[in-house]
Every structure is written in structure tokens, then in C-alpha cells.
Amino acid sequence: MPKKIRLGILGGGGDSLIGVLHRVASFINDNYEITGAVFNPDHEQSLAFAREIDVPTDRIYKDFDTFVAEEMKLPAEERIQVVSVLTPNFLHFPMAHKLLENGFHVICEKPMTTTLEEAKQLQAAQEKSGSIFGLTHTYTGYPMTRQIRKMIEGGMLGNIQKVDAKYYQGWINDLIHDKEKRTTTWRLDPAKSGASCCNGDIGVHAFNMIEFTTGLRINDILCDMNSLYDDNPMDIDATTLVRFDGSKAKGVIRASQIATGEENNLSIAIYGDKGGIKWEQENPNFVYYFPESGPMQVYKPGHAYNSELSLNGTKLPPGHPEGIFDAMANIYLGVAKAVRGEAYDAGEFPTMTDGVRGMDFIEKSVASNQQGNIWVSLES
């Protein structure tokens, strides 16, 4: 087996959910070894966290610029190869851009940047560098969302007619109704979060899931957002109508962070002229298929009837649930294949293209809302 890929991490220290998700995911398929990091802006805290998780401290750098400078002094065979960017949104672009300029491969949290213009600049930097870039739309890593992609590719739904994607959470209730909290949290600060909170954070996942599973490209959108309070410039609820390029299908993206009592309710329903299909993130091991003529069928991971893409992302025998760590691990696995020059399916990890598309969706949804809820077109 090839030697493990040397992995660097930016952010994700302490009790960060995203940090533990990425670290565990990198370990699952035995492809990566955490070699260096800046876990925290405070160097002492970063060192303490490295000792806590048993990562050697000799390459725990005081800041990002030092990370790059010191790694570039090392011979290529010792240098960190892939860097995971797990910082708040406003740091994604400057960090990823500098990493690509210096030849590192990058795995980046979404949204990829805070503006579409930054996304285009990042795309140009990647094209110049030739580095691999993976974007962690985690839910594309589930075996059964990959199965949906292949079922639709195989014509099991026929011509798509209707798509309904929903992502409901209730977590922001604790912040939005408290004036001090809603004016001090970075999630509701456009300078740090970008132009959109709800669609930028979770609506873009639903957008990505539609394009990932159906193979259709969303061409036009009409968005209606809610911010609840006059002193809150950010959306915390959004409904977006969508039209597709080259298709008569229509769709809707429903996203909310004030859906009281909801936890992480991402779901998608897709209806064609031959059948329909449904999937829910909180119950991710079941795909419900409704053929036009015949009883409902339930697909589960690990069975031989599933596609190669689904089975390649399945680590356990049937009946053993695959979860969010496994989904993220499948994205890391796809990036590892690309870094090593191995063959991989285009559905194994989201790319720079998905990041640019996502930023276009976010900016155009804000524009649609601000201009009086009108139809606007995404870039081709």
C-alpha cells in the first residue's frame, strides 16, 4: 500500500464539531496522517490540543503564514501534501488561494468563499497550479445519495419533472431572538459569513444535492428570504424556486434555521415520469423508490444490487448503519485517489466547480430577494 498522505489542518481545534468530523474521516480509510496544523489562532492552545490528540508538536505552527513558509522549506518528499481548511468562512479564500499558489492540494469546508468573485479567482488559481481541490459537501458522501445519482443516470426515474429539497434546522433560535447575540455572532455578520446566513450555510447544501443527484443544472432561481429583525441583515429562512437548464422540470429549495425543534433535516424528493425517489439525511441508509407501476421499493447500503459508486463508499455489511463520519471519509477517500493519480468516479468528491456553482447560487438568491423576489439567472 502507498505511504499515507501527509495532511495539514487549519482550524478545527478544541471542541469543534467540524474538526473532529474531518479528523475521524481522514483516519477511516487509512490514507492520511496528520503531519502539521494550526488548530487555533492562539499558538499555546494549538500546541495543547495537538498534545491532547497525540499529534507531534514539531509542525504545529504559530499561524497560517508560518505554516506555509516553513513547509515550503522542506523537501517535497517530507512536505505536507493536502491541507484541510476548517476555519470560518471569511478565511477560506485567502488560505485556499495561498495554498494553491504554493502547490498544496486542498480540502475546503463550504461555502468555498464569501463571494462569487473570490470563487472565480480561486478557480483560476487551481487551474494554474494543477492541484486537487475537494469541497466538503459531506452529504454527497453517503452511499445512498450516490446510489440515487446512479439510479437517475440509469433512467430509473425517466424524465425529471419535479424536485423538492429541504434543509430545516432550529439552532439559530437561541441567537436570533437575543439582540446582543444576533449582533455579535460571526454567523450573522456579513463581513465574516458572506452575504447569506441560511442559504449560504445550509440552502447551498440542498442546491448541491439537487445537482449532484439529478445531473441537472439549475439555471434560474426566485428567492424569498426572512431575517425576522430589522437590525439583522442576514437571512435565517429562505424559500427558493428553481428552473433547470434544458429541462421542463421545476423545483423548490426550502431552507430554515428557525424551524423550531428541527435538528439536521436535509431531505430530497425527485419525481420523474417513470418513478419517484426520496431520501432523508437523518435516516440516511434508506432510499425509497416509487416506480410508476408497482410497489414501493426500499434500497439499503451494502447490497450487491447497489451501484459500484455506492458500494465503493460502503465499509460495512448490510444492516450496519453508515453515518456522517463515513460520508465525510468517502470524500477524503476520493481526494486521496485523485492525489495519487488513481482512477475515480466523478461523484466521489465535490470539486472547485461545485464551489463556484454554490457561490453563484448564494449571491443570486440574495439578489433575487433584494430586488423584490424576481427570477434571476445563474452563470453558465
Side-chain angles (χ1 to χ4, degrees):
M1 175 180 288
K3 292 178 67 175
K4 289 186 179 181
I5 293 168
R6 296 178 295 279
L7 177 68
I9 295 181
L10 302 175
D15 60 356
S16 164
L17 166 64
I18 217 69
V20 69
L21 178 57
H22 280 261
R23 291 194 305 276
V24 171
S26 72
F27 291 139
I28 282 179
N29 291 294
D30 296 319
N31 283 305
Y32 298 87
E33 181 177 20
I34 299 176
T35 307
V38 181
F39 290 119
N40 192 288
D42 183 302
H43 190 220
E44 290 304 316
Q45 290 187 34
S46 200
L47 288 168
F49 184 71
R51 288 189 286 266
E52 181 181 330
I53 62 172
D54 202 26
V55 171
T57 59
D58 58 321
R59 286 159 83 173
I60 304 300
Y61 299 108
K62 68 176 183 178
D63 55 36
F64 170 64
D65 289 333
T66 304
F67 176 104
V68 174
E70 293 302 313
E71 285 296 318
M72 292 305 295
K73 294 177 183 177
L74 298 172
E77 62 273 15
E78 296 178 19
R79 191 180 309 150
I80 285 171
Q81 298 163 273
V82 179
V83 182
S84 293
V85 180
L86 315 183
T87 56
N89 299 358
F90 69 100
L91 293 173
H92 292 179
F93 170 73
M95 287 182 168
H97 193 273
K98 186 167 184 175
L99 290 167
L100 291 171
E101 284 185 322
N102 284 276
F104 295 94
H105 304 295
V106 177
I107 296 173
C108 185
E109 263 299 317
K110 45 59 57 192
M112 187 171 75
T113 59
T114 57
T115 69
L116 177 58
E117 179 56 36
E118 286 179 345
K120 292 177 179 178
Q121 291 179 37
L122 203 60
Q123 187 174 42
Q126 188 209 3
E127 290 171 354
K128 184 177 180 180
S129 72
S131 296
I132 303 300
F133 186 94
L135 186 68
T136 55
H137 278 293
T138 315
Y139 310 112
T140 65
Y142 278 116
M144 301 320 290
T145 60
R146 295 176 168 201
Q147 177 64 15
I148 292 172
R149 178 185 173 100
K150 292 301 182 181
M151 291 169 74
I152 292 175
E153 278 184 9
M156 291 181 67
L157 267 61
N159 293 316
I160 304 301
Q161 301 175 156
K162 175 71 174 180
V163 182
D164 186 343
K166 177 181 73 173
Y167 202 152
Y168 279 5
Q169 297 176 337
W171 71 272
I172 216 165
N173 272 328
D174 288 342
L175 302 176
I176 197 65
H177 302 301
D178 183 309
K179 181 176 176 59
E180 182 179 354
K181 289 180 180 178
R182 71 173 175 263
T183 56
T184 56
T185 178
W186 75 266
R187 282 287 187 189
L188 294 172
D189 180 354
K192 294 182 177 180
S193 188
S196 168
C197 180
C198 183
N199 259 1
D201 187 24
I202 60 176
V204 70
H205 273 303
F207 168 86
N208 176 262
M209 184 58 66
I210 289 175
E211 294 201 333
F212 174 77
T213 54
T214 67
L216 299 174
R217 286 172 63 89
I218 293 173
N219 195 56
D220 302 292
I221 63 173
L222 185 156
C223 186
D224 185 28
M225 293 175 164
N226 192 353
S227 59
L228 280 187
Y229 293 95
D230 291 339
D231 62 357
N232 169 41
M234 305 285 279
D235 56 299
I236 38 93
D237 181 89
T239 301
T240 309
L241 302 179
V242 304
R243 295 173 179 166
F244 299 94
D245 185 24
S247 171
K248 293 292 186 181
K250 300 290 181 70
V252 61
I253 294 172
R254 298 174 286 149
S256 183
Q257 294 164 318
I258 52 167
T260 306
E262 293 281 7
E263 296 173 343
N264 201 49
N265 187 3
L266 169 64
S267 64
I268 188 166
I270 307 163
Y271 304 96
D273 58 9
K274 292 183 180 179
I277 207 160
K278 291 182 179 181
W279 176 84
E280 298 174 337
Q281 194 279 147
E282 292 184 347
N283 198 18
N285 293 292
F286 298 85
V287 164
Y288 300 95
Y289 172 57
F290 309 89
E292 173 66 18
S293 300
M296 180 185 76
Q297 300 173 18
V298 181
Y299 286 67
K300 297 173 66 179
H303 290 279
Y305 54 66
N306 286 319
S307 67
E308 183 177 352
L309 177 61
S310 175
L311 291 172
N312 283 344
T314 306
K315 299 157 199 65
L316 301 169
H320 295 77
E322 301 273 340
I324 190 73
F325 289 104
D326 305 277
M328 182 69 87
N330 287 335
I331 291 174
Y332 269 79
L333 175 60
V335 171
K337 291 180 181 179
V339 168
R340 288 174 172 151
E342 300 171 2
Y344 63 93
D345 189 286
E348 290 199 53
F349 64 95
T351 66
M352 179 70 70
T353 300
D354 297 286
V356 175
R357 293 280 298 162
M359 287 312 305
D360 196 10
F361 164 74
I362 292 166
E363 287 202 357
K364 295 297 168 51
S365 66
V366 172
S368 171
N369 180 73
Q370 290 178 342
Q371 295 173 36
N373 316 116
I374 64 171
W375 285 99
V376 295
S377 297
L378 275 65
E379 298 183 7
S380 59

